[in-house]
Amino acid sequence: MDHNRIIRTEYSDLMQKSFIDYAMSVIVARALPDVRDGLKPVQRRVLYDMHELGIKYDKPYRKSARIVGDTMGKYHPHGDSSIYEALVVMTQDFKKGLPLVDGHGNFGNIEGDGAAAMRYTEARLQKITQEAFLGDLDKDVVDFIPNFDETEKEPSVLPVKIPNLLINGSEGIAVGMATSIPPHNLGEVADAMKAYMKDPNISTRELMRYLKGPDFPTGGIVINQDELLDIYETGTGKVKIRGKVEIEKLKGGKLNLVITEIPYPMIGMGISKFLSDVAALAEAKKTADIIDISNQSSKEGIRIVIELRKDTDVDYFINMLYKKTRLEDTFGVNMLAICDGRPETMGLKQILKANMDFQFEVATRKYSNLLAKELERKEIQEGLIKACNVIDLIIEILRGSKDRAMAKLCLTEGKIDGIKFKSKESKIMATQLMFSEKQANAILEMRLYKLIGLEIEALIAEHEDTMANIYRYEDILARRDSMAQVIINELESIKREYAVPRKTLIENAQEAVFEEKKAEEMEVIFLMDRFGYARTVDVATYERNLEAAEAESRFAFPCKNTGKVCLFTNTGQLHTIKVMDLPFGKFRDKGVPVDNISNFDSTKEEIVLMASQTDLNLYRLIFVTKQSMMKVVDGGEFDVAKRTVAATKLSEDDQVLSAVILKDQKNIVLQTTDGYFLRFPVDEIPEKKKGAIGVRGMKLSEGAALEAVYYTKTSSEMSIQYKSRQLLLNSIKLGKRDSKGIKVRG
């Protein structure tokens, strides 16, 4: 083995370097948009590929699969699904304020249905994408970089003429950071950009006179206008947005509540979640006003109809929807983008500045290239005009030359060696010719029809145009004001053609005030059967069915409908259940499994006691474990807010065998697996905190454990079936806690 090839390195250093490399590649080359064109690499590559394939807005649509395959093969060596997903999102007018791709076929909908497979759908560029995103690519205005296998070139950024990062927004999750930029209105962004270019010292507050706030394609109402200034200054914050609700009055006094616009975060599966949330409010008896709910949305737009009763307090009901459902939602803003090759959280002014700098850079390159081309054109035009004036001489030189090189030398340097002339004058004039290299080539390639009078006039007019262009381009490049005006004019024309009215309203709305109407407090009876199904019934129903209730129920006790039920398990946990969460109804109703309404898991734990919180507050509890540890705990300790807490501390491999409420029990009887019984007074069990393990109740033989716990009241005789005999518990000799007890034969 070649030991020189082995590189010894610290493992943690290698991992750190590898992870940083990976993180940076995700941040810069996958998940975050560039501040200049507002695009992620996959979006930029899809658009550039469509441009290269010539799928323009006025050409026929092409299959999405063709676009995806071409992009994957040339520029983006990743999964086809991620490329197609990027293409789909760029067509969706409910996700993007300014769709960049014109889709033909099923490209999904606002309710979260996915697009058809890419072999079915077709696409082409939108007109604005072609004009404002890809228009100047042929003028060498941006750097081209090699693709992944260095067989093609791709643009490092598109020469976008509008601040696309703001207009279309962006969402992306990188490594250790995420971006979330809301969409804005094209017209407003253009106005803000113009204002910033005219006065770079303008304040964010003044810019917001032009750019009012986010403009979501789904409309809705932004309700925290006062907080927007801080969001646009820092680049982070939360935009609160509500759906738009209208009230329709029907015949007979019934009301329809119609939701015509939804909050932007609700698009997708959020709509069906909203419908089920509203249905759940009715089922949970939080409101009795809903008659029916239906989603009547169509291509025309969103229309979710909630039918309400005549006497509904509509304001209260709408506030309840804001509080209890996603009809009021927040859009977390975190304006993170790639700026100068690194991720940066940027405020509104920083984004506009980066865009302005980019526009100046692109314009400088564009007009420098155009100027160079015009100067070259000017040189050739001047050569041709001069040639037309001495055309007879030139024809004489051409006819007298042996080859092209001889004629060219004569035109550029006046060398006449070897050329035959008809007259001395021609010979003298030929020595004075001083055409440039390019002019000489143009003359030699000139066609004879160019000598027609009108053609010469056209050439002179063209030269004048060229001179005007040169003057204009030199002015643009020399004066920042001139260049700024050109950029502003382009913004103006884009705004004129593509701007649409704002869809989202922006205001300062009142906080939705909603207090749940308190249910009238009453006593109910909690019933749970042997299978773990629980329910509540009223006291009268229980008393009418007393025998059946006692026979069929594992637990039956009174509790308040506003209170809680405590469930103690063999693993030492206490789970609380709100009585309100239990179905209340007829005696024969089935109920719900307690697993469904609490953290209790019947596959991992067993119930040892269920009791109402009210009872626990009045009494104490006795805990006994299989390893014979016991204690008394004040029931008030179990009045907890959490859904699950530890009710007692257990040793390793121990379990709670019994937990009972201590009322008038006098003696406790412990029975072990190997047939020992011990009876002693309950008073000997010390009171401890719920976090204590407790004291030993009985000495156990090796390998034995407690099997059962009984309680007796001194006055009452109590017998149990033990193996084949009846055993009177009161007949067992009264002993002391922590003794061995008496062996009882079966």
Side-chain angles (χ1 to χ4, degrees):
M1 190 183 206
D2 181 0
H3 288 283
N4 296 331
R5 296 281 305 283
I6 297 172
I7 300 163
R8 296 198 171 272
T9 180
E10 179 62 39
Y11 185 66
S12 61
D13 293 348
L14 187 70
M15 281 298 290
Q16 186 176 3
K17 183 183 178 307
S18 302
F19 190 76
I20 288 170
D21 288 350
Y22 163 69
M24 280 311 292
S25 80
V26 171
I27 289 163
V28 176
R30 200 182 309 175
L32 300 184
D34 192 299
V35 71
R36 297 169 295 175
D37 62 4
L39 297 169
K40 298 178 192 176
V42 63
Q43 297 170 320
R44 188 178 302 121
R45 286 164 175 168
V46 168
L47 294 177
Y48 178 63
D49 185 73
M50 290 174 78
H51 173 71
E52 284 292 280
L53 288 173
I55 316 172
K56 303 191 168 159
Y57 75 95
D58 50 359
K59 296 280 193 308
Y61 292 94
R62 292 278 280 281
K63 279 273 182 244
S64 302
R66 171 69 208 272
I67 298 163
V68 170
D70 208 59
T71 306
M72 182 163 48
K74 285 185 185 169
Y75 311 114
H76 198 73
H78 301 281
D80 58 0
S81 57
S82 60
I83 301 172
Y84 185 47
E85 187 57 38
L87 177 69
V88 166
V89 170
M90 287 193 289
T91 67
Q92 294 177 328
D93 58 1
F94 52 87
K95 270 197 187 157
K96 297 281 177 201
L98 185 71
L100 302 179
V101 176
D102 176 8
H104 184 68
N106 172 15
F107 274 92
N109 62 23
I110 196 166
E111 292 181 28
D113 298 322
M118 60 184 160
R119 61 181 178 274
Y120 299 119
T121 60
E122 299 176 328
R124 65 184 175 195
L125 290 168
Q126 290 275 20
K127 190 175 179 203
I128 186 167
T129 317
Q130 209 171 299
E131 291 178 357
F133 283 63
L134 301 153
D136 288 337
L137 270 178
D138 55 348
K139 298 187 181 71
D140 185 32
V141 289
V142 290
D143 291 334
F144 276 73
I145 50 176
N147 71 337
F148 61 92
D149 61 0
E150 304 204 345
T151 56
E152 302 272 346
K153 291 270 196 214
E154 59 172 313
S156 57
V157 64
L158 294 185
V160 179
K161 295 173 180 165
I162 49 176
N164 180 49
L165 185 71
L166 288 170
I167 293 165
N168 265 333
S170 189
E171 281 182 37
I173 299 166
V175 176
M177 56 185 71
T179 185
S180 178
I181 303 169
H184 294 81
N185 184 280
L186 167 61
E188 291 182 8
V189 172
D191 289 342
M193 181 79 171
K194 283 187 320 199
Y196 182 77
M197 287 178 73
K198 285 173 182 169
D199 176 15
N201 296 320
I202 191 170
S203 68
T204 307
R205 187 185 291 280
E206 285 171 317
L207 277 173
M208 287 183 67
R209 283 171 42 207
Y210 304 98
L211 191 146
K212 309 274 190 293
D215 184 24
F216 297 103
T218 51
I221 306 161
V222 168
I223 58 163
N224 57 337
Q225 189 172 13
D226 286 351
E227 290 170 27
L228 295 183
L229 177 64
D230 188 50
I231 292 173
Y232 285 119
E233 276 185 337
T234 61
T236 58
K238 285 193 168 74
V239 173
K240 282 189 188 164
I241 180 163
R242 286 178 182 169
K244 196 172 178 190
V245 181
E246 293 173 2
I247 297 156
E248 290 178 0
K249 291 191 168 141
L250 305 179
K251 285 178 188 170
K254 276 190 190 167
L255 297 170
N256 267 2
L257 203 69
V258 183
I259 293 149
T260 55
E261 291 176 9
I262 55 170
Y264 186 65
M266 201 197 270
I267 56 177
M269 298 316 293
I271 295 178
S272 51
K273 170 85 170 68
F274 171 72
L275 296 171
S276 58
D277 285 350
V278 175
L281 288 174
E283 280 168 26
K285 308 237 174 5
K286 291 266 192 298
T287 175
D289 295 328
I290 300 171
I291 297 172
D292 191 21
I293 177 165
S294 59
N295 185 3
Q296 299 172 12
S297 304
S298 65
K299 282 181 182 173
E300 273 66 62
I302 294 289
R303 183 178 162 87
I304 298 167
V305 181
I306 304 172
E307 285 181 45
L308 300 175
R309 297 186 193 283
K310 287 182 194 176
D311 51 354
T312 303
D313 179 346
V314 179
D315 289 342
Y316 175 83
F317 184 80
I318 292 172
N319 279 341
M320 178 173 70
L321 290 184
Y322 288 151
K323 281 288 185 194
K324 293 283 180 184
T325 72
R326 299 279 293 276
L327 191 60
E328 179 178 311
D329 212 338
T330 53
F331 182 96
V333 176
N334 184 24
M335 300 208 280
L336 183 77
I338 302 294
C339 183
D340 296 331
R342 41 191 289 261
E344 206 176 311
T345 303
M346 308 168 86
L348 177 60
K349 278 182 73 171
Q350 288 161 285
I351 292 175
L352 291 175
K353 180 183 186 315
N355 269 276
M356 181 183 76
D357 292 348
F358 179 57
Q359 294 305 332
F360 275 108
E361 188 188 314
V362 166
T364 304
R365 284 179 68 164
K366 175 180 171 179
Y367 289 107
S368 298
N369 288 324
L370 287 174
L371 179 62
K373 279 185 184 158
E374 291 291 344
L375 288 170
E376 191 177 315
R377 205 172 285 149
K378 168 186 175 244
E379 185 185 333
I380 290 166
Q381 286 164 351
E382 285 176 351
L384 290 175
I385 290 166
K386 204 161 106 188
C388 286
N389 293 336
V390 288
I391 195 66
D392 295 340
L393 172 66
I394 287 168
I395 290 168
E396 206 173 315
I397 293 166
L398 295 180
R399 292 184 70 177
S401 300
K402 288 196 178 67
D403 55 24
R404 179 185 170 117
M406 190 184 276
K408 193 171 173 187
L409 265 174
C410 179
L411 290 172
T412 55
E413 296 174 22
K415 288 191 178 170
I416 54 173
D417 304 347
I419 301 173
K420 290 176 184 168
F421 288 96
K422 286 179 182 173
S423 66
K424 261 188 179 175
E425 288 89 347
S426 300
K427 205 172 189 179
I428 294 163
M429 283 170 73
T431 58
Q432 291 164 359
L433 292 177
M434 288 288 287
F435 288 103
S436 71
E437 182 89 8
K438 284 176 185 165
Q439 287 173 338
N441 283 332
I443 291 163
L444 291 169
E445 285 162 14
M446 186 172 77
R447 303 220 174 144
L448 283 172
Y449 80 86
K450 286 281 183 189
L451 299 170
I452 298 167
L454 285 173
E455 288 293 329
I456 294 168
E457 278 177 30
L459 182 63
I460 292 166
E462 207 177 290
H463 180 249
E464 282 170 4
D465 286 349
T466 302
M467 291 308 291
N469 283 342
I470 289 169
Y471 175 74
R472 184 164 153 261
Y473 297 157
E474 283 176 340
D475 178 59
I476 289 170
L477 289 166
R479 290 176 49 235
R480 189 181 169 89
D481 284 359
S482 298
M483 191 178 280
Q485 197 53 53
V486 168
I487 296 166
I488 286 170
N489 291 347
E490 285 195 323
L491 271 175
E492 279 285 338
S493 66
I494 291 168
K495 179 187 162 185
R496 260 197 311 278
E497 189 165 353
Y498 301 107
V500 290
R502 162 177 279 284
K503 290 182 177 148
T504 303
L505 283 174
I506 294 184
E507 61 183 39
N508 283 315
Q510 294 249 300
E511 181 76 23
V513 178
F514 166 70
E515 285 179 23
E516 280 191 46
K517 290 176 179 168
K518 294 277 185 282
E520 208 175 306
E521 190 171 276
M522 62 184 234
E523 190 161 274
V524 293
I525 307 294
F526 172 86
L527 299 171
M528 189 183 95
D529 64 18
R530 295 185 302 282
F531 305 107
Y533 283 81
R535 63 195 190 281
T536 57
V537 296
D538 63 36
V539 179
T541 306
Y542 172 70
E543 285 171 353
R544 277 200 307 278
N545 299 277
L546 198 57
E547 277 181 38
E550 303 258 309
E552 294 166 17
S553 302
R554 183 173 166 198
F555 293 104
F557 51 80
C559 56
K560 292 273 190 289
N561 64 340
T562 52
K564 289 181 184 171
V565 170
C566 297
L567 184 157
F568 295 89
T569 72
N570 62 335
T571 58
Q573 297 292 311
L574 158 65
H575 303 294
T576 59
I577 298 168
K578 284 183 179 173
V579 179
M580 280 290 181
D581 291 344
L582 290 160
F584 172 78
K586 301 186 178 78
F587 182 73
R588 283 289 161 214
D589 285 354
K590 191 176 180 186
V592 294
V594 285
D595 302 47
N596 291 8
I597 48 171
S598 68
N599 293 338
F600 171 70
D601 184 349
S602 55
T603 60
K604 295 179 184 164
E605 46 191 350
E606 293 167 17
I607 301 170
V608 292
L609 172 68
M610 290 194 81
S612 86
Q613 187 102 59
T614 322
D615 274 3
L616 290 176
N617 286 342
L618 297 173
Y619 297 102
R620 297 183 300 162
L621 243 69
I622 304 178
F623 284 94
V624 182
T625 76
K626 289 195 173 178
Q627 288 178 11
S628 174
M629 302 308 289
M630 54 188 0
K631 63 178 177 183
V632 172
V633 181
D634 188 308
E637 285 201 38
F638 304 110
D639 195 345
V640 290
K642 285 188 179 173
R643 289 186 60 171
T644 299
V645 293
T648 181
K649 193 173 179 184
L650 290 171
S651 310
E652 210 175 324
D653 298 331
D654 202 1
Q655 286 187 358
V656 177
L657 176 64
S658 157
V660 297
I661 293 175
L662 180 58
K663 290 183 177 172
D664 53 357
Q665 299 92 323
K666 292 288 182 284
N667 295 325
I668 183 170
V669 181
L670 306 178
Q671 173 195 335
T672 66
T673 48
D674 55 350
Y676 280 88
F677 283 78
L678 173 63
R679 180 166 80 100
F680 62 88
V682 169
D683 297 349
E684 291 188 18
I685 307 169
E687 186 169 322
K688 301 266 183 191
K689 292 286 179 196
K690 72 170 191 268
I693 289 181
V695 297
R696 190 165 61 179
M698 182 178 186
K699 284 184 178 143
L700 299 173
S701 318
E702 198 167 327
L706 288 193
E707 190 174 40
V709 181
Y710 307 102
Y711 293 92
T712 64
K713 301 167 185 174
T714 35
S715 54
S716 62
E717 290 288 318
M718 185 176 168
S719 67
I720 59 162
Q721 183 74 27
Y722 180 64
K723 294 187 179 172
S724 57
R725 59 175 276 198
Q726 283 284 352
L727 176 64
L728 272 173
L729 293 178
N730 278 355
S731 67
I732 296 167
K733 185 182 167 208
L734 202 60
K736 284 269 183 213
R737 181 181 67 74
D738 202 19
S739 57
K740 182 82 178 161
I742 300 157
K743 177 90 171 172
V744 175
R745 311 252 171 242

